[in-house]
Amino acid sequence: MVTKILMVCLGNICRSPLAEGLLQSKIDPTRFFVDSAGTGGYHVGEKPDERSIMVAAKYGLDISQQRCRKLTFNDLKEFDYIYAMDRDNYRNILSLAETASEVAKVHLLLDSIDAGSLEVPDPYYGGKDGFEHVYKLIDAACQKIAAQLQDND
Ligand code: 4NP
């Protein structure tokens, strides 16, 4: 059976596309499916933010084919693990959960590493440095999550 993992932020154009691409690059695609979504619907159908595409490309990762979508009620049923980039996202995801098992699927991405903060900061209104920082945080967390997923499988 394929294990399904969903990465979630607010816009689904900056942080969660990086998380989708990074986790995907570290796991066996025949055993795991990775997707991303946003709790807000402002950018549905758009490509990731140019700054996320650029920082990913700098490290050899192509996320330019991703398209933004909004988180749905059904995602809580369909996915096995759902990772929120920050606490607001976490609360908004949980507001769609109907059962204890759905609640249990939802985690903060940075809970998996000792990053000093549990939140991936929103880089949207900042400069390029913010994207570099966010990339490194997400990369470290995805490295840990990939190892855990492959151990559990
Ligand atoms: P993201 O960043 O949640 O990391 O994709 C944002 C992108 C767009 C907006 C907010 C955050 N926005 O308000 O349009």
Side-chain angles (χ1 to χ4, degrees):
M1 206 185 77
V2 170
T3 301
K4 300 176 79 174
I5 304 109
L6 186 66
M7 300 298 191
V8 178
C9 62
L10 171 59
N12 190 214
I13 56 168
C14 298
R15 293 166 291 177
S16 59
L18 287 171
E20 175 186 335
L22 276 163
L23 186 62
Q24 221 160 40
S25 74
K26 299 175 194 297
I27 46 94
D28 175 354
T30 65
R31 291 157 62 207
F32 300 98
F33 171 73
V34 189
D35 194 11
S36 66
T39 58
Y42 327 104
H43 298 278
V44 170
E46 293 178 20
K47 286 204 270 195
D49 188 285
E50 203 55 41
R51 296 163 295 176
S52 281
I53 292 177
M54 295 284 282
V55 75
K58 176 177 163 188
Y59 293 101
L61 188 69
D62 180 7
I63 63 165
S64 65
Q65 299 311 305
Q66 293 184 29
R67 292 297 177 269
C68 173
R69 74 171 180 90
K70 189 167 192 260
L71 180 72
T72 68
F73 196 66
N74 196 48
D75 287 326
L76 276 288
K77 310 196 182 318
E78 206 183 309
F79 284 84
D80 302 297
Y81 298 91
I82 301 175
Y83 290 101
M85 300 299 126
D86 66 33
R87 287 194 174 86
D88 276 349
N89 310 150
Y90 182 79
R91 272 191 295 273
N92 288 328
I93 301 164
L94 283 186
S95 72
L96 300 179
E98 286 191 313
T99 64
S101 83
E102 289 176 20
V103 169
K105 294 175 179 183
V106 188
H107 311 274
L108 277 166
L109 183 85
L110 295 190
D111 235 350
S112 49
I113 56 166
D114 189 8
S117 162
L118 284 175
E119 302 196 287
V120 181
D122 184 346
Y124 187 61
Y125 292 106
K128 246 172 63 181
D129 286 358
F131 283 77
E132 182 81 28
H133 175 60
V134 156
Y135 181 93
K136 289 187 172 146
L137 277 177
I138 295 174
D139 188 32
C142 287
Q143 191 68 41
K144 200 63 177 280
I145 289 167
Q148 285 165 358
L149 285 169
Q150 295 185 103
D151 280 352
N152 295 345
D153 198 41

